[in-house]
Amino acid sequence: MARGLILSSPTLTATTCLFASISKTPPKSFNLSFGLKLIHHHYHLIPSPCSFSVDSSPSQCSIDISKYTETFSRRMAMAGLKSHHRIALGVSGGPDSMALCVLTAGWKTAGADAVTSENGGFIDGLLAIIVDHGLRAESKEEANIVSHRVSKMGIRCEIACCDWPSGRPKQGQLQEAAREMRYQIFQEVCAQHRIGVLLIAQHADDQAELFILRLSRNSGVLGLAGMPFTSQIFPTYTQSYREVQANQGILLVRPLLEFSKEDMYKICQGGSENWVEDPTNQSPLYARNRIRMVLNNLSSSAFKFELQVLISACRITRTYVDQIAYSLIRDAVVIKDHGYVVIDLQILCPLKVEDICLMKFLSLILQFVSQRQRQIRGSALKLLMDYIRTFPCKNSVTAAGCYLCPDPGSRGSRVLVCCCSNGCAFPLKIEYFESQSQGQQGCCVANELEKIIEAEKSYANHLVLDASDVHFLDVNPELVLTEAKRLNIIGESTYNSIFALQKQETAHFRSKTEVISDSASKHGVTPFSKSLQPGQFCYFMDRFILTWKLKNNIDNDELSGLVDYEMDLGEETRSLCCTSCVAGNNKVPEVRHMIESDWLYLAELSKYPLSKNFPQYEVKSVNGTKQIMDRASPCLHYASVSAKQALRFLKSIPVAARRSLPVLINQQGQLLSIPSVNFKHCPFLMVHMEFKPKIPLGGGHTSFI
C-alpha cells in the first residue's frame, strides 16, 4: 500500500544549492541593499574569557548577496509567511542569528505589502527575543550589547532573563537545560506580545551535526531527517485560560536550512553587522562541539554535498512516512471527549502497513493520549507493533504511560487507548492558573496562525514526489549508511569519513555516564491534594480544564429532577447545603483522578431510599471511612438523585478510561463531584469541565519540505 503512493519534493537538490566555496578568512565588510535604507553601526565588545566580538568594518569590498535574499524570501513563502505577519526572532548575537536579523528585516521592509518603520524607528510586527541565561557573570552586559546592535537594525528587542529555582544546571546537562529554558521563554514572550511565529537561525551545518549525533545514537531514518522546516510547539506550562482556548502554540520556522555556516558570515558582513563568537562552542565536553570541529576539518566540497544529499533523502522519507501516518489517523482513529481514543483495526489493516509507518502512527497516538511534548520512541513501539497486529485484539498492554485494551463491545475489532493514571510511572500533573479573558487579539493570533499553516500545507500539496525518491523504509537504523552507499547517494570516501566519525562519537557516548533527571521535577508535578479555589482554573493532566464556584440559585433543569422529593431549597437551606459540602470552615475542594471506589460510592449512594423512617444513614467514602449524613439534609436527597443519573452516564465510559478523569473531593476525602458524568453532591455547586488537550492528535503541524 505504502509504495503505491506518489509523492515528491524538490528538496533533494535545493538543500545543497547554496554551498559556496569561500575563503576561511572572509573580507572585512560588504554592502547590502534591500530597497530600504537601514541604519548600520559598529559596536566593539571587549573580549572576555567566555566570548568575543567580530567587527565587520566597512572597506572597499562588496558582494552580491541577492541569492541569499531570494532564497530567504522563497523559504518564507513556503512557510506560508507574508511580510505583514507578526514575527519574533530568537537572537543570541552570534553570526547565525545576526544573519537572520539582516535577512528578516530586509524581507519585512521589501515585501509586496511593505511594512512601515514609523513606530519609533522600529519595523512593525518584528520582535527580537534575547535570552540571558544568567550562567556567566558577563551575560547581562552581552545581552545589552546584542540588544543595542539589533535595535540599530530597526528591530525592537526584548531581553528575557532565566530563573533557575533549582540552581545552576549540572555541567553535563547544561546545554539541554539551557535549551529547554530558552524555548519556554520564547513561548512566554510570544504569548505576551500576541505573536504566533518564531524564526530560529539553525542552518545546514547544524543539520549535518545533528545527523552525525543521531547516527551515533543509532537513530533511524526518521530521526536522521533532522530538524523540521516548520513545527508547532506547545507550552509546557499554561499561564492563562486564554492560552488554553487558543490552543495553537507557536509556529517554529527555520528559514536558513538551505544556508551554510559560511553563508552566515557573508550575510553579516554584507550588512556590516558585528556578531559575538562564543569560545565555549570549541569545548570538546559537548558532543555537538566535537562533531562540529571534525566536520570543519572535512573541507571537501564533495563530502559536504553528499552529506546534504543524504540528509535530504532522509527528509523525503520522513515526509512520506508522516503523510501515511496522518492519513491512517484521519481514517482509523476516533477521539472521545473523555480523553481517550479508539483505533478501528479493520480500517487500519495493520498487517498491510509498513513497519516504519505503523510505528510512526502509534507514536503519534501515544503522544496525544499521554500528552508528552516529545514523540514516543524505542522499545515501547516495538512491543506495540505485535500487539496492534494481533486480530482480534484480546489482551491489554501498558506502554509509555498509556493503557491499551479491546474496546468493550467491539469483539476485539477496536482498541481503546487511554491515559494510565494508576500503577504507572507517568506522573500526575495538575496546573493552576487564573481566568483571563481571551479577547479579540488572542482570537486574531490563533486565526492568523491557522491561515499561515493552511498556506504552507497548500504549498506542500503541490509538491509531487516520485516514489523512487523514498529510501530506507525497510532498512535497520544501523544499515542506513550502508544502504546510502549502495544507492550511490554517497561515495566511498564520504561513507568512510561519516562511518569513522560515527564510530568515534558512539564510543565516546557509550563510555560516558549520564544522569537522567526525574521526569517529575521537569514537569513541576503538583500533588493531587492541592486545593482548587473558587473561580480558579485547573489544567488536569494537560487535557481537562476544571473550575468551580457556588451559585446563588438552582437551575430549572436541576429543580425538575427534585420535584418528587418535596425538598426545601430556600436561602436557609442553600446555606446549609454549601456549609456541609464545600464552603464552610475553609472546606475548599481538592482535585485528583477517579478511582474505583468513586463509582462504587455512587452505586451505594444511589441505593438508599429517601425514606423518612430513619433520621440518618451511612455510606463508605472513597478512603474507606463511613460518612454519616442527616437524612433531613437536602444534599442527601440531591446527591442520591445525582448519583442515579451519573451511573447511567458512567456506563458509557469504559472502566479503563474512567481512571484518567478528574474528580473533586473535600478535605475528608468525600466525593463532591465527577463533572464528566454530571455528578454533584450539592445543587448549588457548579463545576465546569472541558476536554482541551494541549498537544493535538498528530503532535501539531510539522513540515520537512
Side-chain angles (χ1 to χ4, degrees):
M1 179 197 74
R3 294 190 185 277
L5 185 63
I6 305 298
L7 303 168
S8 76
S9 171
T11 57
L12 193 59
T13 57
T15 304
T16 57
C17 67
L18 287 175
F19 287 92
S21 56
I22 63 176
S23 171
K24 292 293 181 181
T25 308
K28 285 293 182 182
S29 76
F30 303 89
N31 295 323
L32 175 64
S33 174
F34 280 105
L36 177 74
K37 185 176 181 181
L38 296 178
I39 303 173
H40 302 298
H41 72 288
H42 311 288
Y43 201 103
H44 299 269
L45 174 64
I46 300 175
S48 71
C50 293
S51 66
F52 61 90
S53 177
V54 178
D55 183 17
S56 177
S57 302
S59 71
Q60 70 277 13
C61 300
S62 63
I63 187 171
D64 178 15
I65 68 162
S66 59
K67 63 179 181 180
Y68 299 125
T69 60
E70 291 171 3
T71 300
F72 183 83
S73 297
R74 175 174 57 82
R75 295 294 284 180
M76 295 293 275
M78 290 172 64
L81 294 173
K82 298 180 180 179
S83 58
H84 68 270
H85 289 140
R86 293 170 56 81
I87 293 173
L89 308 173
V91 179
S92 66
D96 307 345
S97 60
M98 294 302 288
L100 178 64
C101 289
V102 171
L103 292 174
T104 308
W107 171 79
K108 264 279 194 180
T109 53
D113 300 323
V115 180
T116 65
S117 56
E118 299 175 354
N119 185 15
F122 294 112
I123 301 170
D124 291 340
L126 191 58
L127 175 70
I129 306 174
I130 302 169
V131 178
D132 176 11
H133 295 92
L135 298 174
R136 293 181 289 110
E138 61 273 20
S139 64
K140 182 177 181 180
E141 178 187 1
E142 292 172 3
N144 289 330
I145 292 175
V146 172
S147 176
H148 180 74
R149 291 176 174 175
V150 175
S151 297
K152 287 289 187 178
M153 298 170 64
I155 302 175
R156 189 184 303 276
C157 296
E158 178 166 330
I159 299 176
C161 299
C162 294
D163 180 25
W164 302 99
S166 300
R168 177 190 174 97
K170 296 180 180 179
Q171 186 67 28
Q173 302 169 346
L174 186 61
Q175 286 190 330
E176 180 66 19
R179 181 189 182 279
E180 289 187 5
M181 179 68 75
R182 186 164 58 250
Y183 276 87
Q184 181 181 330
I185 288 176
F186 284 156
Q187 294 181 78
E188 291 174 357
V189 175
C190 285
Q192 292 167 6
H193 290 272
R194 308 291 193 270
I195 295 175
V197 178
L198 174 68
L199 304 190
I200 298 296
Q202 288 157 327
H203 48 75
D205 287 25
D206 294 322
Q207 288 280 46
E209 294 168 14
L210 183 60
F211 179 89
I212 300 299
L213 180 65
R214 291 184 173 176
L215 191 68
S216 68
R217 305 303 194 260
N218 203 33
S219 179
V221 62
L222 301 187
L224 296 177
M227 296 171 284
F229 170 47
T230 62
S231 57
Q232 262 180 298
I233 59 175
F234 300 89
T236 304
Y237 301 98
T238 303
Q239 305 295 325
S240 70
Y241 187 60
R242 181 191 67 246
E243 295 179 27
V244 178
Q245 288 296 94
N247 198 35
Q248 289 287 342
I250 60 173
L251 184 67
L252 194 66
V253 181
R254 298 177 175 91
L256 304 183
L257 290 180
E258 290 187 10
F259 299 96
S260 70
K261 181 70 173 185
E262 294 189 19
D263 293 330
M264 302 296 101
Y265 291 118
K266 276 190 163 185
I267 295 167
C268 287
Q269 293 167 329
S272 299
E273 296 299 337
N274 304 329
W275 63 88
V276 174
E277 292 280 7
D278 188 351
T280 58
N281 288 335
Q282 304 299 320
S283 170
L285 291 175
Y286 303 108
R288 275 186 173 274
N289 294 350
R290 295 192 300 270
I291 294 170
R292 184 184 307 118
M293 288 185 282
V294 175
L295 288 176
N296 287 340
N297 293 329
L298 298 171
S299 57
S300 164
S301 58
F303 171 82
K304 292 182 178 180
F305 179 83
E306 290 181 0
L307 177 56
Q308 292 298 326
V309 171
L310 174 55
I311 294 172
S312 293
C314 294
R315 294 174 73 81
I316 291 173
T317 303
R318 173 67 184 261
T319 300
Y320 172 89
V321 172
D322 285 353
Q323 290 185 358
I324 296 293
Y326 295 146
S327 176
L328 294 174
I329 287 175
R330 286 193 301 269
D331 295 340
V333 177
V334 176
I335 304 174
K336 299 294 185 178
D337 287 341
H338 293 102
Y340 64 97
V341 303
V342 175
I343 304 172
D344 193 318
L345 297 180
Q346 291 179 315
I347 296 177
L348 180 64
C349 297
L351 291 175
K352 297 182 180 180
V353 182
E354 289 172 317
D355 288 359
I356 190 171
C357 297
L358 186 59
M359 289 181 72
K360 177 67 176 181
F361 166 82
L362 291 171
S363 175
L364 294 173
I365 296 295
L366 296 184
Q367 181 190 23
F368 172 73
V369 173
S370 65
Q371 284 297 296
R372 294 172 184 256
Q373 289 284 334
R374 298 180 181 179
Q375 293 181 19
I376 311 299
R377 296 185 291 269
S379 58
L381 293 179
K382 295 179 181 179
L383 170 67
L384 293 181
M385 289 278 289
D386 295 334
Y387 176 81
I388 208 76
R389 281 178 168 160
T390 302
F391 187 88
C393 176
K394 296 180 180 180
N395 302 316
S396 61
V397 65
T398 300
C402 298
Y403 179 79
L404 293 82
C405 66
D407 187 28
S410 70
R411 296 186 177 182
S413 65
R414 297 190 301 269
V415 172
L416 182 149
V417 187
C418 62
C419 179
C420 182
S421 297
N422 290 338
C424 295
F426 198 66
L428 179 67
K429 182 181 179 184
I430 302 176
E431 292 181 67
Y432 296 88
F433 53 91
E434 301 300 327
S435 171
Q436 291 183 13
S437 174
Q438 181 178 352
Q440 187 174 1
Q441 286 184 319
C443 292
C444 290
V445 173
N447 293 338
E448 180 179 85
L449 185 55
E450 185 176 352
K451 291 179 181 178
I452 291 171
I453 292 174
E454 286 302 317
E456 183 186 2
K457 288 180 178 179
S458 176
Y459 182 93
N461 289 338
H462 287 87
L463 302 177
V464 181
L465 282 181
D466 188 273
S468 61
D469 288 333
V470 181
H471 305 298
F472 315 120
L473 288 175
D474 303 320
V475 178
N476 292 330
E478 61 271 15
L479 297 178
V480 169
L481 207 58
T482 302
E483 179 69 5
K485 185 179 71 169
R486 188 189 70 81
L487 295 171
N488 293 321
I489 295 176
I490 58 175
E492 184 72 27
S493 176
T494 299
Y495 171 85
N496 291 334
S497 297
I498 296 177
F499 181 76
L501 183 53
Q502 175 196 5
K503 186 177 180 181
Q504 174 184 331
E505 187 55 38
T506 300
H508 194 284
F509 173 70
R510 289 176 178 173
S511 64
K512 179 182 177 182
T513 302
E514 295 188 342
V515 180
I516 302 176
S517 60
D518 183 10
S519 61
S521 62
K522 281 188 177 183
H523 290 283
V525 180
T526 306
F528 70 85
S529 60
K530 186 173 180 179
S531 300
L532 180 62
Q533 300 293 332
Q536 190 179 39
F537 282 78
C538 162
Y539 214 151
F540 184 84
M541 297 297 289
D542 289 335
R543 55 176 60 79
F544 294 111
I545 302 298
L546 192 66
T547 188
W548 73 276
K549 67 178 182 180
L550 291 175
K551 300 183 293 183
N552 293 323
N553 49 55
I554 302 178
D555 298 335
N556 290 331
D557 57 343
E558 290 183 306
L559 281 172
S560 63
L562 303 174
V563 171
D564 296 338
Y565 302 103
E566 299 179 355
M567 296 170 58
D568 176 18
L569 296 173
E571 182 66 26
E572 183 178 350
T573 303
R574 186 188 75 83
S575 177
L576 173 62
C577 289
C578 299
T579 300
S580 62
C581 291
V582 183
N585 300 321
N586 296 320
K587 295 179 180 178
V588 178
E590 300 168 357
V591 186
R592 61 159 171 78
H593 57 74
M594 184 184 286
I595 57 179
E596 184 176 2
S597 298
D598 292 337
W599 58 81
L600 296 178
Y601 175 74
L602 290 184
E604 194 167 358
L605 180 61
S606 67
K607 294 177 185 176
Y608 281 84
L610 301 178
S611 170
K612 298 181 180 180
N613 297 331
F614 300 94
Q616 291 182 339
Y617 84 102
E618 60 182 30
V619 177
K620 285 187 178 180
S621 70
V622 293
N623 59 10
T625 61
K626 292 184 177 181
Q627 302 289 326
I628 299 179
M629 298 186 64
D630 187 349
R631 286 194 177 279
S633 170
C635 282
L636 169 60
H637 296 178
Y638 181 85
S640 179
V641 175
S642 183
K644 291 177 181 178
Q645 297 171 344
L647 284 172
R648 290 197 293 269
F649 286 114
L650 199 60
K651 290 179 180 179
S652 65
I653 304 175
V655 173
R658 297 175 190 176
R659 295 186 175 93
S660 61
L661 296 174
V663 302
L664 286 180
I665 61 173
N666 64 17
Q667 294 178 350
Q668 288 72 44
Q670 181 186 354
L671 189 64
L672 296 179
S673 175
I674 307 177
S676 55
V677 293
N678 298 323
F679 170 74
K680 296 186 299 182
H681 228 289
C682 174
F684 293 96
L685 175 64
M686 185 176 76
V687 183
H688 173 74
M689 189 191 78
E690 182 180 0
F691 177 55
K692 200 75 174 179
K694 273 188 183 179
I695 311 297
L697 183 56
H701 174 69
T702 301
S703 172
F704 283 81
I705 61 175

